[in-house]
Amino acid sequence: MLALLCINKYNFNSLCCVLFINDLLKKCKTLIIIMILLLTCDGDLSCDLVIDWLNYYRHEYIRINSFELFSKNICFSQENGKLRLLLDNQNIPIETIKSIWYRKFGFFEESEFYKNLLTNFNYDIIKHITKEYYKILNLFLLSLKNKKWITNPFHSNLNKFAVLQLAGKCGLNIPNSYISNNFNFIENNKNYIVKSVVDPIIAEYKENKCMMYTTQLTSDDQNSIPDVFFPSLIQEKIEKEYEIRIFYLMGKCYSMAIFSQNDKKTKLDFRQYNWEKPNRYVPYNLSKNDLSKIKLLMNSLKLNCGSIDLIMGIDSKLYFLEINPTGQFGMVDFPCNYGLHKKIAETLIEMDV
């Protein structure tokens, strides 16, 4: 109540107001210290950098890495109608958590615990334990469902094909796309690409990753492929001038052009980085019309954050490709000097009331 009176009396901007309230609560020695919850994984540099800004602003936070379920003393309890989180010796009432950043949480199959299961148990037992793990995570997230989120996990499990359809309805250009197990329904006089419907990472061990990159499928390739194959995502290949990566945060787009066409290695998929001769990255301004379409799409998906991939075709049309709700944004931030880690920290603080 005291904090609310202060808001009415003084005309603070939102961030200063939140910081003032927190300092005021601490000085009053209240037992309620509002804090930010960061849900991520080990080695998440983006989270480390956001934490640096939270420390700079002296704002309370707690970080939970998903693999800490196997390495720390964690208890999620429900006693007398109250939910509590115990992390080692820290007792955290759930009501003190106001805002949450959902980064990269889960990834059970990448944990050492899971890898040990592979050598000691059969498939059915591993499958059961995996289901248990994700069910526990889901129960934990459900208890936080009504909090303020940057990337709400209950809206982040996107279907790539369905998102393409929705993007088209929002007025964005999309490549002709198919989910098919044969080429009978696809014109054979065009070039196509094939890509993963889900995460392109097939397997990962330490620093090594096995990736499914975007691959061109020519008419000659089509003749050598069996009549029926595993259902796959096939798209018409759009000849492009350059690629555009957008980091979307709370209605704003921070965009970067990637001149991947100048290098044979990255021409089809810029993720096949050429470390000896990197692509050129520059800040990019989208038109107001394109910005409004992207905002409409993100609002339709109930997403307030995400990495968006577009391409500019040689026909001067902008084409939408996909959205990653928890995608990397450092690659946009550093070359373009947008200060995104600071913006995320400030957004979390403003939400933490």
Side-chain angles (χ1 to χ4, degrees), residues 292-321:
S292 64
K293 293 175 183 178
I294 290 170
K295 188 173 182 179
L296 176 61
L297 174 61
M298 295 299 280
N299 288 340
S300 300
L301 294 169
K302 298 182 180 179
L303 291 175
N304 57 12
C305 183
S307 294
I308 303 169
D309 289 335
L310 309 171
I311 55 175
M312 177 61 72
I314 59 175
D315 57 3
S316 299
K317 292 181 180 179
L318 195 64
Y319 291 86
F320 170 85
L321 297 182

Side-chain angles (χ1 to χ4, degrees), residues 43 72 110 123 133 157 219 224 233 295 301 311 328 351:
K72 286 190 175 181
E110 296 178 18
Y123 171 78
Y133 174 86
N157 187 19
S219 55
S224 63
L233 173 58
K295 188 173 182 179
L301 294 169
I311 55 175
Q328 296 293 347
M351 293 167 63

Side-chain angles (χ1 to χ4, degrees), residues 87-290:
L87 182 61
D88 283 345
N89 295 323
Q90 190 174 8
N91 188 348
I92 306 165
I94 296 299
E95 63 268 19
T96 65
I97 297 171
K98 302 299 181 181
S99 66
I100 307 172
W101 186 26
Y102 183 80
R103 266 291 292 161
K104 294 181 177 294
F105 203 59
F107 300 100
F108 180 54
E109 292 82 357
E110 296 178 18
S111 67
E112 290 299 321
F113 187 92
Y114 180 82
K115 291 170 185 175
N116 290 333
L117 291 178
L118 294 177
T119 60
N120 294 292
F121 296 97
N122 64 33
Y123 171 78
D124 290 332
I125 293 176
I126 295 172
K127 182 179 177 182
H128 175 78
I129 294 175
T130 301
K131 289 170 64 177
E132 286 280 313
Y133 174 86
Y134 284 111
K135 181 63 70 172
I136 290 170
L137 281 191
N138 190 58
L139 289 171
F140 174 60
L141 295 175
L142 278 172
S143 69
L144 302 167
K145 186 174 183 179
N146 295 324
K147 305 296 181 179
K148 300 171 185 176
W149 295 82
I150 290 184
T151 306
N152 190 315
F154 300 102
H155 302 302
S156 64
N157 187 19
L158 303 182
N159 182 299
K160 188 177 294 187
F161 200 78
V163 172
L164 283 168
Q165 183 182 24
L166 184 57
K169 291 181 178 179
C170 291
L172 291 163
N173 298 309
I174 60 170
N176 291 330
S177 304
Y178 313 85
I179 299 287
S180 181
N181 67 350
N182 65 81
F183 285 105
N184 294 335
F185 306 104
I186 302 173
E187 295 182 53
N188 59 9
N189 60 343
K190 294 182 179 180
N191 288 332
Y192 294 91
I193 60 172
V194 290
K195 60 172 66 175
S196 172
V197 178
V198 290
D199 191 336
I201 299 176
I202 301 174
E204 185 171 6
Y205 180 71
K206 294 184 178 179
E207 291 82 17
N208 299 316
K209 293 182 180 180
C210 181
M211 296 276 290
M212 285 187 65
Y213 292 109
T214 301
T215 305
Q216 182 171 342
L217 193 65
T218 65
S219 55
D220 291 338
D221 294 326
Q222 295 176 33
N223 295 329
S224 63
I225 292 177
D227 292 336
V228 177
F229 47 83
F230 188 85
S232 304
L233 173 58
I234 304 169
Q235 286 185 322
E236 181 182 351
K237 182 188 177 187
I238 304 296
E239 297 297 334
K240 58 191 175 186
E241 289 283 353
Y242 47 84
E243 302 182 46
I244 301 170
R245 167 62 68 91
I246 301 169
F247 181 67
Y248 181 93
L249 178 64
M250 310 302 287
K252 294 183 179 181
C253 291
Y254 303 90
S255 308
M256 177 182 73
I258 307 170
F259 292 92
S260 56
Q261 298 306 100
N262 299 331
D263 190 319
K264 290 182 179 180
K265 188 175 181 181
T266 60
K267 188 173 183 178
L268 198 61
D269 192 330
F270 80 89
R271 292 172 300 181
Q272 300 189 64
Y273 301 115
N274 186 340
W275 295 107
E276 295 181 359
K277 188 180 179 181
N279 293 155
R280 183 180 174 219
Y281 299 154
V282 297
Y284 187 85
N285 291 324
L286 292 163
S287 69
K288 289 184 178 179
N289 187 36
D290 290 327

Side-chain angles (χ1 to χ4, degrees), residues 253-256 282-285 332-341 343:
C253 291
Y254 303 90
S255 308
M256 177 182 73
V282 297
Y284 187 85
N285 291 324
V332 175
D333 187 27
F334 298 125
C336 300
N337 198 28
Y338 284 133
L340 296 177
H341 299 91
K343 293 181 188 297

Side-chain angles (χ1 to χ4, degrees), residues 43-85:
D44 182 4
L45 176 61
S46 292
C47 191
D48 295 341
L49 296 175
V50 169
I51 284 175
D52 286 343
W53 282 107
L54 293 177
N55 288 332
Y56 173 81
Y57 286 122
R58 299 180 182 178
H59 196 91
E60 297 287 339
Y61 67 89
I62 182 169
R63 172 178 179 166
I64 300 179
N65 297 329
S66 52
F67 294 168
E68 288 178 342
L69 291 175
F70 314 118
S71 61
K72 286 190 175 181
N73 295 319
I74 291 181
C75 179
F76 182 65
S77 68
Q78 185 170 203
E79 299 175 345
N80 300 320
K82 289 188 176 182
L83 296 172
R84 290 186 179 275
L85 174 65

